[in-house]
């Protein structure tokens, strides 16, 4: 019996502990970076840098410096909030000197990413995890951006507005902005942008929900979208895939040409892309944005992004100086990162959730009783003790301080005897479990397999790279695997991931969930901007997830960026009227104001 409740019963867990230790020793440096409770709000914490790493050796290929930023996204192991030493007075003290320093121009920032965006850099068709969004935010400007107060604010757009029932939206671009090819970012380009989004393989699924009746030029810089249904949350979709504005000339090359030749308005221009090795971007000399003091941006001469799927490998590359920075989102080496490097943490709200994504349309997972039995066989607290620093398991898809969070959602407690009995009664003997090539993800997956094995299941583990894992999710070619998603910033942006209408064919509702209570709440969310009502609807969704056990929730997954000490300005962005955006939001960062101390 696989327990751990009273005495950590035994051999399985001792074996796992030894396996973890062996993995860390074998790699010389572990991978990952979860966090404890109380995340610092995108605050830099200066490390001691006393061992290899710190701000020592200059980065490979970097003209001066070491520091940079990273990224990643949906799948695999995750971290959580920032550790205790990243909060309070110490965080403020560490942040103060950076704010007072004069930015310096020049240098190349070398950034380690957890995955390659294998199918290219055209947002219309790219299957982008967080790594891809970091690339996109360097090449393109998002039309809107997530405000720190929970409201979307204009970014490349100067303004957005709607009629009373949210069926007509007017979007107006800022004046005087050009694409990398010198052509104007105007209403014609914005109209073309939405036309291309409608035709996109994945974005077409997303934007079809708007039921666009017309895309009208409403001025030199303005476009009016006429919809066949209310869509109160439309601006929230313009801070991600649907909001990366590409040039008409890029789209003229067709989907494949655009994938290899991105043309945006962003701070950097693509110079070289060798898939699986490096993506190099150079400074856009005509970028439109300035910093708070009116200085031209960006500061850096260039960015280099290197995909290193193994978290141990990224940590080692950062310590050796081959990288200036790395993205971190696993449960190990929190102290190592905080002590040896400068760390930037996502704040402890709107966190993605680490969970076991279940294919609700595939036997035996189409059976609610079986899903419940799996949850009862999964000791999430024990998993946390070994892999996630003892953080309390998530209760649903919404983290604390996020609208919709509930301490009790009705999700089943750990009860292996009940789970084992149900599995035996149902006659299920085996189940497939997928994971990525990352060593941390494999260990987490093996842990789950041992738990389920104790409940009588023969679990087959299959490893694929992250891009293939995402493809499998889209086409439903899986039973279960660890996933990372759902920051809950706006309930309606979760619609395509949970509503039954998106659970067929090429599906963005990866779990193929079909729940009338969830559908009803998501439908109503399109008709209102009332925050109290949206919170109530999110709570309804949360309870439905708990009752029907559509997924198995693990932990709130905050992101960390670790850099060498000479790197500054991570995810800074000067916005109108002193507005603030959410920092390290779902691991996505802007490198627009990053700079290297020469």
């Amino acid at each position: 019996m696989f327990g751990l409740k009273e005495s950590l019963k035994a051999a399985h867990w001792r074996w796992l502990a030894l396996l973890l230790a062996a993995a860390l020793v074998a790699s010389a440096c572990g991978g990952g970076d979860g966090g404890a409770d109380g995340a610092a709000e995108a605050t830099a914490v200066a490390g001691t840098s006393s061992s290899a790493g710190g701000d020592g050796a200059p980065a490979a290929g970097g003209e001066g410096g070491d520091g940079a930023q990273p990224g990643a996204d949906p799948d695999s192991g995750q971290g959580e909030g920032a550790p205790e030493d990243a909060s309070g007075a110490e965080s403020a003290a560490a942040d103060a000197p950076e704010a007072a320093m004069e930015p310096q121009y020049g240098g190349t920032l070398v950034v380690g990413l957890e995955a390659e965006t294998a199918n290219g850099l055209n947002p219309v068709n790219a299957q982008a995890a967080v790594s891809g969004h970091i690339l996109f935010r360097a090449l393109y400007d998002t039309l809107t951006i997530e405000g720190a107060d929970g409201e979307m604010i204009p970014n490349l757009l100067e303004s957005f507005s709607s009629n009373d029932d949210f069926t007509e939206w007017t979007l107006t671009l800022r004046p005087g902005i050009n694409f990398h090819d010198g052509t104007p970012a105007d209403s014609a380009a914005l109209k073309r942008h939405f036309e291309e989004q409608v035709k996109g393989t994945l974005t077409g699924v997303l934007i079809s929900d708007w039921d666009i009746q017309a895309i009208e030029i409403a001025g030199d810089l303005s476009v009016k979208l006429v919809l066949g249904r209310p869509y109160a949350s439309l601006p929230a979709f313009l801070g991600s895939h649907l909001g990366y504005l590409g040039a008409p000339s890029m789209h003229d090359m067709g989907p494949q040409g655009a994938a290899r030749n991105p043309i945006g308005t962003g701070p950097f221009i693509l110079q070289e892309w060798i898939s699986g090795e490096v993506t190099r971007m150079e400074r856009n000399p005509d970028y439109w944005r300035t910093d708070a003091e009116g200085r031209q941006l960006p500061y850096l001469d260039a960015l280099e992004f290197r995909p290193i799927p193994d978290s141990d490998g990224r940590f080692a590359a950062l310590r050796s100086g081959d990288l200036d920075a790395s993205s971190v989102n696993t449960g190990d080496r929190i102290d190592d990162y905080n002590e040896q490097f400068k760390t930037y943490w996502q704040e402890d709200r709107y966190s993605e959730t680490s969970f076991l994504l279940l294919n609700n349309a595939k036997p035996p997972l189409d059976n609610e009783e079986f899903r419940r039995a799996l949850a009862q066989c999964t000791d999430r607290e024990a998993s946390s003790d070994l892999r996630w620093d003892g953080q309390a398991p998530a209760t649903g898809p919404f983290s604390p301080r996020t609208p919709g969070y509930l301490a009790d959602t009705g999700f089943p407690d750990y009860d292996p005897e009940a789970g084992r009995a149900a599995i035996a009664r149902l006659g299920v003997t085996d189940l497939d479990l997928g994971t990525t090539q990352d060593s941390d993800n494999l260990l987490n997956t093996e842990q789950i397999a041992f738990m389920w094995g104790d409940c009588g299941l023969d679990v087959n583990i299959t490893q694929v790279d992250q891009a293939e894992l995402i493809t499998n999710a889209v086409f439903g070619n899986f039973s279960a695997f660890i996933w990372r998603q759902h920051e809950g910033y706006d309930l309606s942006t979760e619609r395509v991931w949970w509503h039954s209408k998106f659970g067929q064919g090429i599906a963005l509702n990866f779990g193929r969930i079909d729940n009338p209570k969830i559908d009803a709440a998501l439908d109503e969310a399109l008709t209102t901007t009332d925050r109290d009502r949206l919170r109530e609807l999110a709570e309804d969704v949360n309870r439905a997830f708990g009752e029907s056990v559509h997924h198995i929730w693990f932990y709130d997954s905050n992101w960390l960026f670790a850099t060498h000490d000479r790197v500054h300005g991570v995810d800074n962005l000067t916005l109108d009227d002193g507005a603030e955006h959410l920092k390290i939001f779902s691991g996505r960062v802007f490198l627009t104001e990053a700079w290297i101390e020469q």
Side-chain angles (χ1 to χ4, degrees):
M1 172 170 174
F2 189 86
L4 232 140
K5 267 309 185 196
E6 286 117 11
S7 63
L8 275 179
K9 265 186 182 177
H12 289 324
W13 289 109
R14 286 199 297 272
W15 183 88
L16 269 175
L18 289 172
L19 182 60
L20 285 169
L24 295 179
V25 170
S27 65
C29 333
D33 50 277
D37 298 329
E41 301 195 355
T43 302
V45 180
T48 60
S49 303
S50 57
S51 58
D55 47 355
E63 269 176 54
D66 4 345
Q69 338 192 232
D73 181 342
D75 97 84
S76 83
Q78 286 76 304
E80 319 161 16
E84 292 179 2
D85 65 354
S87 61
E90 183 172 341
S91 295
D95 199 38
E98 179 166 321
M101 296 179 71
E102 184 86 3
Q104 299 177 24
Y105 285 90
T108 296
L109 201 58
V110 183
V111 182
L113 301 177
E114 73 173 7
E116 176 68 273
T117 302
N119 64 335
L121 301 174
N122 174 12
V124 173
N125 292 306
Q127 296 174 16
V130 167
S131 296
H133 286 287
I134 294 173
L135 297 175
F136 292 158
R137 289 189 176 205
L139 292 167
Y140 306 92
D141 292 298
T142 56
L143 293 173
T144 63
I145 191 171
E146 296 84 5
D149 63 354
E151 296 281 356
M152 297 300 294
I153 54 179
N155 187 31
L156 188 60
L157 290 179
E158 184 174 66
S159 65
F160 54 78
S161 61
S162 75
N163 61 355
D164 290 342
D165 67 356
F166 309 109
T167 57
E168 293 184 2
W169 283 91
T170 300
L171 312 175
T172 301
L173 290 162
R174 296 174 183 274
I177 297 176
N178 291 326
F179 292 103
H180 297 156
D181 63 358
T183 59
D186 56 13
S187 55
L190 187 57
K191 182 175 187 290
R192 176 72 180 276
H193 167 79
F194 287 113
E195 291 169 344
E196 295 295 330
Q197 297 282 354
V198 168
K199 295 186 292 185
T201 303
L202 293 180
T203 58
V205 176
L206 249 174
I207 206 169
S208 67
D209 198 46
W210 296 5
D211 191 17
I212 295 177
Q213 304 296 299
I215 306 172
E216 302 173 354
I217 299 290
D220 292 343
L221 298 171
S222 298
V223 161
K224 177 186 284 188
L225 298 175
V226 181
L227 313 180
R229 65 180 307 167
Y231 227 89
S233 60
L234 186 145
F237 288 84
L238 303 182
S240 186
H241 264 88
L242 297 184
Y244 296 117
L245 184 65
S249 60
M250 180 183 86
H251 298 304
D252 289 342
M253 291 183 271
Q256 296 306 314
R260 298 207 64 90
N261 300 279
I263 303 173
T265 62
F268 294 92
I269 301 171
L270 182 67
Q271 192 267 334
E272 180 183 40
W273 176 35
I274 303 175
S275 184
E277 296 183 20
V278 65
T279 301
R280 182 177 173 85
M281 303 178 188
E282 296 185 346
R283 183 178 188 270
N284 177 4
D286 300 316
Y287 189 52
W288 60 275
R289 196 188 294 272
T290 60
D291 68 10
E293 303 299 323
R295 291 175 289 236
Q296 180 67 41
L297 294 170
Y299 304 122
L300 293 167
D301 286 337
L303 294 170
E304 283 190 10
F305 297 101
R306 299 179 185 175
I308 305 176
D310 183 71
S311 55
D312 292 347
R314 287 199 308 281
F315 183 86
L318 186 63
R319 285 194 61 176
S320 70
D322 287 341
L323 295 177
D324 296 324
S326 179
S327 58
V328 188
N329 191 249
T330 61
D332 296 324
R333 292 197 173 277
I334 299 168
D335 291 340
D336 289 341
Y337 276 102
N338 284 328
E339 290 170 2
Q340 297 176 37
F341 306 106
K342 182 189 295 183
T343 55
Y344 298 82
W345 286 88
Q346 177 184 350
E347 59 179 290
D348 63 344
R349 58 177 175 158
Y350 304 120
S351 299
E352 290 181 310
T353 304
S354 170
F355 62 101
L356 201 65
L357 180 70
L358 306 179
N359 188 340
N360 287 238
K362 184 175 182 178
L365 292 164
D366 59 345
N367 185 315
E368 181 179 323
E369 184 180 2
F370 180 73
R371 296 196 302 269
R372 180 172 298 276
L374 276 187
Q376 291 171 326
C377 288
T378 307
D379 192 340
R380 300 182 299 142
E381 290 186 7
S383 181
S384 177
D385 289 340
L386 281 175
R387 300 295 291 151
W388 304 104
D389 301 319
Q391 180 190 191
T395 62
F398 305 117
S399 61
R401 299 184 64 211
T402 300
Y405 170 77
L406 293 169
D408 182 5
T409 62
F411 188 84
D413 294 330
Y414 176 59
D415 188 349
E417 292 185 5
R420 185 181 301 105
I423 289 172
R425 183 171 60 255
L426 293 168
V428 181
T429 58
D430 58 271
L431 192 66
D432 293 331
L433 191 56
T435 188
T436 66
Q437 304 291 347
D438 182 81
S439 58
D440 280 333
N441 300 338
L442 177 59
L443 287 171
N444 293 337
T445 302
E446 288 177 331
Q447 185 184 74
I448 295 167
F450 274 115
M451 294 176 184
W452 293 356
D454 247 19
C455 277
L457 289 173
D458 183 9
V459 181
N460 176 53
I461 296 176
T462 302
Q463 284 186 275
V464 298
D465 64 34
Q466 189 185 78
E468 185 176 349
L469 197 75
I470 295 174
T471 299
N472 289 343
V474 170
F475 287 96
N477 299 326
F478 74 98
S479 293
F481 49 70
I482 297 175
W483 195 253
R484 177 185 66 223
Q485 205 176 5
H486 308 311
E487 69 279 346
Y489 186 83
D490 186 298
L491 178 61
S492 293
T493 60
E494 306 292 351
R495 174 180 174 83
V496 295
W497 313 119
W498 296 336
H499 198 287
S500 61
K501 73 174 290 185
F502 298 101
Q504 306 294 323
I506 299 177
L508 295 181
N509 175 354
F510 303 133
R512 277 67 182 170
I513 295 164
D514 187 352
N515 188 312
K517 293 180 181 178
I518 293 176
D519 286 356
L522 294 173
D523 287 341
E524 184 178 340
L526 295 182
T527 67
T528 181
T529 57
D530 181 86
R531 288 196 178 192
D532 289 336
R533 182 54 184 155
L534 288 169
R535 175 184 51 77
E536 292 170 351
L537 292 170
E539 290 173 354
D540 290 344
V541 168
N542 208 352
R543 292 187 189 94
F545 267 110
E547 293 166 358
S548 298
V549 199
H550 292 299
H551 298 312
I552 297 176
W553 310 108
F554 282 106
Y555 316 105
D556 302 322
S557 174
N558 278 3
W559 282 89
L560 158 69
F561 287 93
T563 76
H564 292 292
D565 288 348
R566 289 187 293 172
V567 178
H568 307 279
V570 170
D571 208 21
N572 286 353
L573 201 65
T574 301
L575 301 174
D576 295 342
D577 302 320
E580 294 288 335
H581 73 288
L582 283 176
K583 299 293 186 68
I584 325 294
F585 177 67
S586 292
R588 306 170 186 182
V589 297
F590 291 96
L591 301 177
T592 311
E593 297 190 22
W595 59 279
I596 297 172
E597 192 176 343
Q598 307 293 326

